[in-house]
Amino acid sequence: MLVAEKENCNELHQIMSSFSRSSLGCHQHQASGLCEALENENRIRGEYLSGSDILYSLEDLQLGAKGDLTKVSPGCRVQLTLGEQGGSRFCYKAVLLDAKQPSGPFSFHCGVFIVPKTRAHEWLFSSEEGQWQVVESSKAARLIMVLLETIHANADMDDIQKDLSPLVKPLAPADNDKGDQIPFMTASDGIKQRNIVYQGSSSLTGPIIIEDVVYENADGDVARSLPFRRLIFQRTEGLVQSEALLTGDGSFDKSVSKSELKKASSSSKSKRRGTQGKNNELSSKMKVYHGFLASSYHAGIISGLSLISSYLESVASAGNRVKAVVIGLGAGLLPMFLNGCMQFMQIEVVELDPTMLNLARDYFGFTQDKHLKVHIADGIEFVRDYRKLSAAGEMPVHENEDALSSEMLLSSNGRCNSSDEETRRSTTIDILIVDVDSSDSSSGMTCPAADFVEESFLRTVKDALSEQGLFVINLVSRSSAIKDMVVSRMKELTDHPGILLVFGLLMCCFHLCGAHARCFLAHGPHLLRGPLVRNFLVRDFMVHVACTHAAFWCVVVMCTTSLCAQHMLKFHMVFSHLFCLQLEGEVNLVIFGLCSESYIKEDCIPEATLRLEKLLKPNHPEISQSINDAVKKLRCLK
């Protein structure tokens, strides 16, 4: 019997059961059903108590949906919506949090904390644990955290505060009746000036924004105090896809930059819409400087080239070109930097969305030449067909002709022969970089798309790379389990030919057992009618021997199959060595896969770093320093 007691209570409690688990043996179905019903009910009540999926309105709370809000309830957390059509300018999503510690010291009884859209996705503001940390640091007895969304993007912060003021007053606890003003706090997005220079959409990428920004708190860093141009895909909210430094003429002249900064600062003092025209005029006169790496993960990707710096040096010194494929154009900043600083590379960029090529060219100064080409194609299919296209002459061959001819021999019959190694190198990729975002947020990865970490693609990559090749993948995910899964796949895969052989052996096993059974059924009745087996004991004995014989061969074949399986199903190594570089906390991980059996030991990293620096020849010491710092953080995974 289940007894439910209804009372005038604003909280749900878990249902406690008093019967013994040992009684499940009697009337098993009824008792188990009761236990299951209790567990389901308690689960539903627990979800309700957590409030994870419930958004209350201000009217609901005033009617007592979550108790008496005039009193601070330590540890209370309620998600709600503020504002309604006709009653306020905007609607807002908010979280009401009462400090877990019942006694202060508190700086104020109630406060409002506004989180801009650009930071609403961050763990500190999007997770419950992070929100409690904000409450603790705010020193407020009750904190109302307001998370801004896309609809608030063009609104001035002063206007938002005026709109929110009458909405949050009913949420203040009774202790605030003294007339204390509710303070407003804001999580700065670190941007002093923002100007949107392009806003559009693509059928493949979705909404796209290109904006020019000037950062706050540059701390005397001339480079960081200059304006930057950023490319943002709104489907990956909060992620800046590309970022480039803007200068007057596309070069790095500090004196000119400082005068431009002075103009930008004076025009950014007023954030009203009236300044947009001046900002647009200023932005139109500035150009992207391709000799500076603004994105830390770009510097991280390039730092991985130190792992094959010896090979790069040997190819470059021989007058040949290193073949690099970059999947994902973005703003074209990484290919442009490589093309300018590592002029011994032949770079093929693969981009699925033709809109991106137009934006990169029109807003980020991207240009193609004979050593930097863009292919509008599917990245996975491009890598899969690379060797075929190269062998067919449809991909350009970029070897030094003199060096190549010296390695080729003419036989007596006039045919031209070259080594297998040289043939393979001419049809393989030396460096493959995957830098694409994911359109499917359910995969748990912001970058890359899930298809780029599937086993089939990793096999394709291994086949397409040269013997000294390097595979680089930019992985952005908050899930440690997904990161571990990707690393595990890059370490080893099951060998499919082995699976087929083991499957064949198993089929042979079953076929052999079936043959024995068919043989006994065909000849057994005749033999059992013979004069020697008229005795039932003898007949049973012969049946037993026949079955044992079949079973014996079954065991032999299965044991052989098992041994073969242990050998053939042994995981196939994808990359001989893996390295990784952790960036931006625990979110961004750059993974490097090496095909060569040899790899750089820790004591050789400084030498490799110097070798890479000579190959790069960067224009600014800051670039060398950022790459060197990234190299020091490289970690070997196996």
Side-chain angles (χ1 to χ4, degrees):
M1 179 180 292
L2 177 65
V3 178
E5 181 182 355
K6 185 177 180 181
E7 59 179 337
N8 185 16
C9 179
N10 292 318
E11 294 185 9
L12 283 177
H13 299 283
Q14 297 283 298
I15 300 175
M16 306 299 294
S17 59
S18 59
F19 64 86
S20 173
R21 289 275 174 178
S22 60
S23 64
L24 291 177
C26 303
H27 306 290
Q28 184 175 2
H29 296 296
Q30 293 182 10
S32 298
L34 179 59
C35 286
E36 185 177 352
L38 286 173
E39 290 173 358
N40 289 337
E41 177 65 20
N42 284 331
R43 176 180 56 79
I44 294 172
R45 290 182 175 223
E47 291 175 355
Y48 182 85
L49 285 171
S50 67
S52 57
D53 298 319
I54 300 176
L55 277 174
Y56 295 93
S57 67
L58 182 59
E59 184 181 2
D60 292 335
L61 297 178
Q62 289 175 328
L63 292 173
K66 291 296 289 184
D68 186 4
L69 289 183
T70 62
K71 299 179 181 178
V72 174
S73 301
C76 176
R77 178 180 179 272
V78 183
Q79 296 189 88
L80 67 149
T81 56
L82 293 172
E84 55 185 16
Q85 195 169 9
S88 60
R89 181 179 175 186
F90 296 113
C91 291
Y92 305 89
K93 181 181 177 181
V95 185
L96 184 148
L97 302 116
D98 286 348
K100 292 184 177 181
Q101 298 296 330
S103 57
F106 297 120
S107 300
F108 38 85
H109 292 286
C110 183
V112 179
F113 192 89
I114 301 176
V115 181
K117 175 182 176 295
T118 54
R119 299 194 63 186
H121 70 285
E122 295 180 16
W123 175 87
L124 189 64
F125 309 115
S126 62
S127 69
E128 183 175 346
E129 184 179 353
Q131 291 169 359
W132 286 120
Q133 290 187 13
V134 176
V135 174
E136 184 177 353
S137 61
S138 70
K139 302 296 183 183
R142 170 171 292 174
L143 187 70
I144 304 168
M145 185 179 292
V146 179
L147 304 170
L148 299 186
E149 299 177 295
T150 305
I151 59 173
H152 310 114
N154 297 322
D156 188 89
M157 191 59 68
D158 293 336
D159 294 337
I160 288 178
Q161 290 186 16
K162 290 178 182 177
D163 195 37
L164 279 171
S165 292
L167 300 177
V168 297
K169 281 183 179 179
L171 296 174
D175 294 341
N176 207 53
D177 286 341
K178 301 181 241 183
D180 295 342
Q181 187 175 4
I182 299 176
F184 280 81
M185 298 165 281
T186 304
S188 172
D189 58 2
I191 294 176
K192 179 168 58 177
Q193 175 186 343
R194 174 184 281 107
N195 175 43
I196 296 177
V197 297
Y198 172 85
Q199 189 166 6
S201 183
S202 163
S203 59
L204 293 175
T205 307
I208 300 170
I209 292 177
I210 299 175
E211 61 182 14
D212 293 347
V213 300
V214 176
Y215 290 100
E216 294 176 344
N217 303 322
D219 296 329
D221 185 349
V222 176
R224 292 305 293 174
S225 64
L226 291 170
F228 285 80
R229 179 159 292 174
R230 311 198 306 180
L231 172 66
I232 299 173
F233 297 160
Q234 287 191 275
R235 69 186 184 188
T236 51
E237 187 175 355
L239 177 68
V240 177
Q241 205 281 338
S242 299
E243 187 174 31
L245 177 65
L246 289 174
T247 61
D249 57 355
S251 61
F252 194 79
D253 186 342
K254 289 190 177 182
S255 61
V256 174
S257 299
K258 285 182 179 179
S259 63
E260 291 170 348
L261 175 62
K262 186 176 180 181
K263 293 179 184 177
S265 298
S266 61
S267 64
S268 66
K269 290 179 181 178
S270 174
K271 297 183 180 180
R272 302 292 177 183
R273 294 188 181 185
T275 64
Q276 290 293 320
K278 296 180 180 180
N279 291 338
N280 284 329
E281 184 180 352
L282 176 64
S283 297
S284 64
K285 294 180 180 179
M286 307 192 80
K287 296 181 180 179
V288 168
Y289 175 55
H290 291 104
F292 184 83
L293 290 173
S295 298
S296 60
Y297 82 93
H298 279 164
I301 288 174
I302 294 174
S303 72
L305 301 183
S306 62
L307 301 171
I308 58 169
S309 58
S310 179
Y311 172 68
L312 299 179
E313 186 179 55
S314 64
V315 174
S317 61
N320 296 330
R321 287 196 169 270
V322 173
K323 294 185 287 297
V325 172
V326 180
I327 300 179
L329 174 65
L333 302 177
L334 179 61
M336 286 291 287
F337 180 86
L338 291 174
N339 193 40
C341 294
M342 304 188 82
Q343 299 181 0
F344 55 87
M345 280 190 176
Q346 177 65 34
I347 305 170
E348 312 290 340
V349 183
V350 189
E351 173 58 51
L352 185 62
D353 190 352
T355 301
M356 296 313 305
L357 178 57
N358 296 332
L359 294 178
R361 181 185 62 242
D362 296 343
Y363 292 93
F364 291 90
F366 178 80
T367 57
Q368 300 185 64
D369 57 33
K370 63 179 180 179
H371 299 310
L372 173 57
K373 300 291 183 183
V374 176
H375 305 264
I376 302 300
D378 181 272
I380 293 176
E381 293 179 2
F382 183 89
V383 175
R384 183 190 63 201
D385 298 336
Y386 185 89
R387 295 188 67 179
K388 188 189 304 181
L389 294 173
S390 297
E394 298 180 28
M395 289 291 295
V397 179
H398 310 285
E399 304 291 344
N400 180 296
E401 293 181 0
D402 297 333
L404 184 60
S405 61
S406 66
E407 295 185 12
M408 303 179 70
L409 301 174
L410 284 173
S411 63
S412 57
N413 60 5
R415 292 182 180 177
C416 184
N417 298 324
S418 64
S419 66
D420 292 340
E421 181 180 353
E422 185 61 37
T423 302
R424 174 177 171 80
R425 217 193 79 74
S426 65
T427 59
T428 53
I429 302 169
D430 295 314
I431 301 170
L432 176 57
I433 300 172
V434 175
D435 183 21
V436 296
D437 76 317
S438 174
S439 59
D440 181 14
S441 59
S442 64
S443 66
M445 289 183 291
T446 305
C447 299
D451 292 343
F452 288 96
V453 293
E454 291 291 338
E455 293 187 357
S456 57
F457 178 68
L458 295 177
R459 288 193 187 89
T460 301
V461 170
K462 181 66 180 293
D463 293 338
L465 287 173
S466 62
E467 292 183 1
Q468 302 292 326
L470 175 68
F471 178 52
V472 186
I473 188 164
N474 180 35
L475 176 63
V476 180
S477 176
R478 295 183 180 275
S479 170
S480 57
I482 289 178
K483 293 178 185 176
D484 293 341
M485 176 271 292
V486 173
V487 170
S488 177
R489 285 183 181 178
M490 292 182 67
K491 281 183 178 180
E492 50 193 12
L493 298 172
T494 52
D495 198 339
H496 278 195
I499 293 177
L500 293 176
L501 179 58
V502 170
F503 180 75
L505 287 171
L506 286 172
M507 290 300 99
C508 289
C509 171
F510 289 115
H511 178 74
L512 182 60
C513 295
H516 275 277
R518 287 193 300 271
C519 179
F520 182 78
L521 289 174
H523 302 285
H526 174 71
L527 293 174
L528 292 176
R529 288 196 297 269
L532 295 178
V533 289
R534 295 189 185 277
N535 188 288
F536 285 104
L537 292 176
V538 176
R539 188 188 312 173
D540 292 343
F541 174 74
M542 290 190 68
V543 172
H544 177 72
V545 169
C547 293
T548 303
H549 184 64
F552 169 77
W553 282 108
C554 178
V555 172
V556 169
V557 174
M558 292 190 71
C559 288
T560 306
T561 303
S562 177
L563 291 174
C564 291
Q566 291 179 21
H567 175 70
M568 297 304 296
L569 285 179
K570 185 176 181 180
F571 286 105
H572 173 64
M573 304 292 289
V574 183
F575 298 102
S576 300
H577 301 282
L578 287 182
F579 287 78
C580 73
L581 176 65
Q582 186 75 59
L583 297 172
E584 298 178 11
E586 299 296 324
V587 177
N588 197 324
L589 186 70
V590 183
I591 307 175
F592 307 92
L594 291 170
C595 293
S596 174
E597 290 294 336
S598 59
Y599 70 101
I600 296 178
K601 302 293 193 297
E602 289 187 5
D603 56 347
C604 299
I605 287 182
E607 181 183 349
T609 305
L610 291 174
R611 192 183 297 117
L612 176 62
E613 189 173 341
K614 291 178 181 178
L615 291 169
L616 273 173
K617 299 177 182 178
N619 297 326
H620 307 288
E622 306 92 31
I623 301 297
S624 297
Q625 189 59 47
S626 63
I627 293 174
N628 291 346
D629 292 342
V631 172
K632 294 175 183 178
K633 298 176 183 178
L634 287 174
R635 181 168 58 91
C636 183
L637 295 176
K638 66 171 183 176

